[in-house]
Amino acid sequence: DYIHYMNVRSWTGKKGWITNYSGLYRSTDNGKIWKKCEDIMWSADSNFGQAGYYWEGEYVCMVGTQTGRASCPKLARFKEKDIENLSAYEYWNGIERKWIKGDETKATDLFEDTVGELSIIYNTKFKKWIMTYFCSQRYNITARDADDINGPWSEPVEIASGKDYPRLYGSFIHPLSAGSDNLYFLMSQWTPYNVFLMKTQVKHSEK
């Protein structure tokens, strides 16, 4: 088991908050004891300071953003055995349409939007990738889908509004969504400072 974490310097940064770095913790006993992975670290300005993961086939896919809520998502992948070996990570470059190994600066935006607290899953029923995230500009939780994780991604769809759920944030997909007509996700609200299990229907769209 792994946890991707961020070491926060300040919660009042220009983009939401500022970190010192991000990294991984590992547990080999089902979460009883956690140890810091000393050999893997993302810098304060990394495009993978926050990330959502999903294991699909040969690779673990990792969609990352800068820390905060004001950057576009980028894509990396690695084999399970290489999770603690950053030099083995591959980054999707949409301009060259290829994976580039070992250099995260080569990763390009999957789409343009202000993305925070993202989560991804592959829906086996509709054969679609689904991403959810908090969008500060629209003050909502947004969903997008794609046939391939490297895109193209659909236009944004609102699945929870700040007008209905004041001070909402977070959008972490529950694994039960993987083969379901419904998308289950965890949504937080600053007031009453709690987490709620939400459900919305997955609608299949023909292109």
Side-chain angles (χ1 to χ4, degrees), residues 141-201:
I141 292 177
T142 289
R144 294 181 188 247
D145 67 75
D147 293 330
D148 299 304
I149 194 170
N150 54 8
W153 286 84
S154 70
E155 292 299 309
V157 175
E158 180 176 272
I159 57 174
S161 170
K163 295 178 181 178
D164 298 324
Y165 305 99
R167 308 187 79 178
L168 81 174
Y169 65 99
S171 55
F172 303 107
I173 302 172
H174 193 286
L176 282 175
S177 304
S180 174
D181 289 318
N182 295 310
L183 180 70
Y184 298 92
F185 62 97
L186 298 176
M187 180 192 75
S188 298
Q189 282 184 274
W190 186 256
T191 303
Y193 203 61
N194 212 332
V195 182
F196 302 90
L197 178 63
M198 307 288 284
K199 180 180 77 171
T200 188
Q201 188 174 15

Side-chain angles (χ1 to χ4, degrees), residues 10 12 17 107 151 165:
S10 171
T12 57
W17 48 82
Y165 305 99

Side-chain angles (χ1 to χ4, degrees), residues 23 48 52 57 68 72 92 116 118 122 125 132 134 142 187 189 196-197:
F48 296 88
C72 302
W92 176 250
L118 70 84
Y122 184 73
K125 183 171 184 177
T132 59
F134 173 75
T142 289
M187 180 192 75
Q189 282 184 274
F196 302 90
L197 178 63

Side-chain angles (χ1 to χ4, degrees), residues 73-143:
K74 294 178 172 60
L75 175 63
R77 70 179 186 181
F78 53 86
K79 295 185 177 179
E80 181 190 16
K81 64 180 179 64
D82 292 323
I83 187 171
E84 295 182 43
N85 179 14
L86 270 179
S87 64
Y89 282 42
E90 297 178 340
Y91 302 91
W92 176 250
N93 186 290
I95 299 173
E96 299 183 30
R97 303 298 300 173
K98 67 179 183 181
W99 294 95
I100 298 176
K101 189 174 182 179
D103 184 358
E104 74 159 80
T105 65
K106 298 298 184 180
T108 57
D109 297 340
L110 291 177
F111 52 82
E112 291 187 15
D113 208 352
T114 51
V115 176
E117 293 120 34
L118 70 84
S119 183
I120 57 171
I121 199 167
Y122 184 73
N123 185 292
T124 56
K125 183 171 184 177
F126 296 110
K127 301 187 185 308
K128 293 277 188 179
W129 286 94
I130 299 173
M131 184 189 306
T132 59
Y133 57 92
F134 173 75
C135 178
S136 57
Q137 286 187 337
R138 291 186 296 276
Y139 189 41
N140 71 4
I141 292 177
T142 289

Side-chain angles (χ1 to χ4, degrees), residues 45-85:
D45 59 353
S46 170
N47 290 312
F48 296 88
Q50 292 173 223
Y53 295 81
Y54 196 75
W55 188 10
E56 173 65 16
E58 185 180 2
Y59 291 96
V60 177
C61 299
M62 174 188 182
V63 180
T65 63
Q66 296 176 9
T67 52
R69 295 168 172 161
S71 63
C72 302
K74 294 178 172 60
L75 175 63
R77 70 179 186 181
F78 53 86
K79 295 185 177 179
E80 181 190 16
K81 64 180 179 64
D82 292 323
I83 187 171
E84 295 182 43
N85 179 14

